[in-house]
Amino acid sequence: MRLLLMGPPGAGKGTQAVAIAERFGIPAISTGDIFRANVAQQSPLGRTAQQYMDAGEYVPDEVTNAMVAGRLSDPDCADGFLLDGYPRTLQQVDELDAILERGDTALDAVVLVEADPGELVRRLMLRAEAQGRVDDTDEVIRRRLEVYAAETAPLAAQYAERGLLATVDGLGPVDVVAERILSALVAKSSAGS
Ligand code: AMP
């Protein structure tokens, strides 16, 4: 299984990614988590990424693409993976296509987790209180939602054209949303076979 999980900040992607990846026995790869780990270690990558993350902007494509290409070449990705939060720009879509082509593989499905903007802000503010993420402040949240709408939301249409997209309502308890995602994936695989 080679899957992508897309959705606006606050849609609950991270939680779902871990549950879905576990179900399929594949690694969940969150570019946000990898960047945060690098920021915590103050690695060169972390020092580059931090300024963008703190402002709610995307880390530049060449930096992000190199990081993902490296991670996907790890042995645990040979039989599948779930990418959470990548690709987020058209250039990243192109890079992922090139990586997959080099490995003579292809995506099986792209899941878009949707939620209404008011709910997203409410969830992000709750997470800010619970986790103290520096990019969960009012102003940065607004910016992250704007950047998502401008740069990432249009990618869904591309994957829909390729017949890969499954859209799922992200509103509701975690296990209910996880079931929706699994049903959508089953429907997708039986439609494609
Ligand atoms: P996330 O945890 O997925 O919300 O990501 C947190 C932050 O990491 C984002 O706001 C970006 O600054 C950065 N980031 C994560 N994934 C990407 C990506 N695919 N491209 C660029 N920046 C990213």
Side-chain angles (χ1 to χ4, degrees):
M1 266 293 199
R2 291 178 178 83
L3 302 173
L4 305 184
L5 203 55
M6 290 182 57
K13 278 190 318 301
T15 313
Q16 294 301 335
V18 172
I20 302 299
E22 202 167 289
R23 191 71 82 93
F24 290 107
I26 52 178
I29 301 168
S30 156
T31 43
D33 281 353
I34 301 176
F35 282 134
R36 276 185 289 280
N38 277 277
V39 169
Q41 291 159 7
Q42 280 295 297
S43 72
L45 175 63
R47 282 197 295 271
T48 304
Q50 184 162 20
Q51 50 186 315
Y52 298 100
M53 297 174 77
D54 287 355
E57 305 292 340
Y58 286 166
V59 177
D61 285 328
E62 56 276 19
V63 175
T64 308
N65 284 338
M67 179 182 87
V68 171
R71 179 64 186 89
L72 290 182
S73 69
D74 288 344
D76 65 330
C77 297
D79 294 327
F81 52 78
L82 185 159
L83 277 169
D84 159 18
Y86 181 93
R88 275 173 148 131
T89 66
L90 285 170
Q91 269 197 47
Q92 293 180 14
V93 170
D94 290 345
E95 172 67 11
L96 180 60
D97 285 344
I99 294 171
L100 292 168
E101 216 168 289
R102 280 201 296 275
D104 208 14
T105 57
L107 292 173
D108 293 292
V110 178
V111 178
L112 172 64
V113 182
E114 284 192 325
D116 85 68
E119 175 63 17
L120 295 174
V121 174
R122 194 186 70 83
R123 286 191 190 185
L124 289 165
M125 295 309 289
L126 281 176
R127 186 171 76 184
E129 278 171 39
Q131 298 179 2
R133 260 177 64 163
V134 284
D135 57 350
D136 277 345
T137 63
D138 216 5
E139 194 187 331
V140 178
I141 285 172
R142 225 172 312 119
R143 182 63 194 146
R144 284 164 64 212
L145 290 168
E146 269 172 23
V147 173
Y148 176 84
E151 305 254 351
T152 306
L155 306 187
Q158 282 229 354
Y159 287 118
E161 261 173 46
R162 300 185 195 182
L164 290 173
L165 192 74
T167 302
V168 168
D169 178 7
L171 200 69
V174 169
D175 52 338
V176 173
V177 177
E179 270 318 309
R180 279 183 207 140
I181 294 176
L182 287 170
S183 313
L185 288 174
V186 170
K188 198 107 232 85
S189 65
S190 44
S193 58

